[in-house]
Amino acid sequence: MRVLVATAVPAERDAVARAFPAGYGGAVPGLLAAGVGPARAAAATAAALTAAERDGVPYGLVVSAGIAGGFAPHAPLGSLVVADEITSADLGAETAEGFLPVTELGFGTVTHRPPEALVRRVADATGARAGAVLTVSTVTGTAERAAELRARHPRALAEAMEGFGVAEAAALHGLPVLEIRAVSNAVGPRDRAAWRIGEALQALTEGFGNLAPVLESWNSHDDR
Ligand SMILES: O=C(O)c1cccc(C(=O)CC[C@H]2O[C@@H](n3cnc4c(=O)[nH]cnc43)[C@H](O)[C@@H]2O)c1
């Protein structure tokens, strides 16, 4: 089964690629730097999946991967998280009574759920914490917004900007999805000096190194 790993930027793609050095004996995933944000990620991932199908080499699993903000104290800097739900946190309507997700407006979806058994295997193999990973179009920059998101999503471990878009593309192609993130900063007040992007990229490389046998041995029938 072929695996497509979609990151946002080339630095994340290259961090994943370092887990599969020249001479690596197993299957190397397809790697795509899809761009930042859910819309760009969805469009680029859908295009890659369509091209692979057209060329007769379809993918069987799609992975959204990269760095993320972690909700303290649940996801510390440098740690890995794996999504057991991929939820769009800002797709909906603001009302006087608070935020309403699009599902409560009568359309769409706001959550995709990766295969449970695969999430467990990823967590066991990498030490990643499993929980909700939120997709946002605006990076959180205040403690108030961080608290509001956690109040609405008490299981949230991290926020990033692409997972839901990648998951929408995978779903349109009838494919399972995973989201794996390495925490580069805390969700909350903006503090660029506190970002640990290098450490997070290193954690991503190590995580994918440990993950490789899991991805190679998993097939979607395991979860049915
Ligand atoms: O300017 C800022 O204050 C700021 C804070 C955190 C991240 C950014 C980015 O532009 C990175 C976006 C990029 O990285 C992922 N990412 C990393 N940390 C976060 C976060 O705390 N919230 C949302 N996304 C994050 C994201 O998936 C993008 O690909 C700027």
Side-chain angles (χ1 to χ4, degrees):
M1 184 201 58
R2 295 183 77 223
V3 178
L4 176 65
V5 179
T7 66
V9 297
E12 294 167 321
R13 178 200 59 202
D14 295 347
V16 175
R18 283 193 286 278
F20 305 92
Y24 173 75
V28 177
L31 297 176
L32 173 71
V36 173
R40 176 71 198 204
T45 303
L49 295 176
T50 300
E53 281 169 14
R54 180 201 59 212
D55 296 343
V57 284
Y59 290 104
L61 172 69
V62 185
V63 184
S64 171
I67 62 171
F71 286 95
H74 314 285
L77 297 192
S79 68
L80 281 181
V81 301
V82 55
D84 60 13
E85 64 167 83
I86 299 169
T87 292
S88 175
D90 51 17
L91 185 61
E94 205 65 61
T95 75
E97 287 74 42
F99 177 80
L100 283 182
V102 285
T103 42
E104 288 186 33
L105 304 173
F107 41 76
T109 180
V110 290
T111 294
H112 291 279
R113 293 185 197 284
E116 270 178 42
L118 182 57
V119 170
R120 271 197 304 277
R121 284 189 219 177
V122 170
D124 289 347
T126 64
R129 293 165 170 81
V133 176
L134 307 182
T135 301
V136 294
S137 291
T138 303
V139 174
T140 297
T142 64
E144 292 72 25
R145 176 69 176 158
E148 183 189 331
L149 285 173
R150 271 285 296 187
R152 262 204 275 132
H153 304 281
R155 300 182 60 260
L157 294 179
E159 70 164 36
M161 303 179 80
E162 295 81 23
F164 185 75
V166 172
E168 287 276 78
L172 278 176
H173 283 261
L175 296 175
V177 68
L178 273 180
E179 182 170 7
I180 298 166
R181 293 277 171 182
V183 176
S184 56
N185 57 280
V187 178
R190 192 157 186 241
D191 179 9
R192 294 188 79 131
W195 294 2
R196 295 290 176 268
I197 291 178
E199 287 170 30
L201 293 175
Q202 178 63 28
L204 204 57
T205 303
E206 286 168 13
F208 270 85
N210 293 325
L211 200 59
V214 175
L215 296 181
E216 274 174 44
S217 64
W218 185 78
N219 83 60
S220 55
H221 300 290
D222 296 356
D223 261 17
R224 291 190 183 141

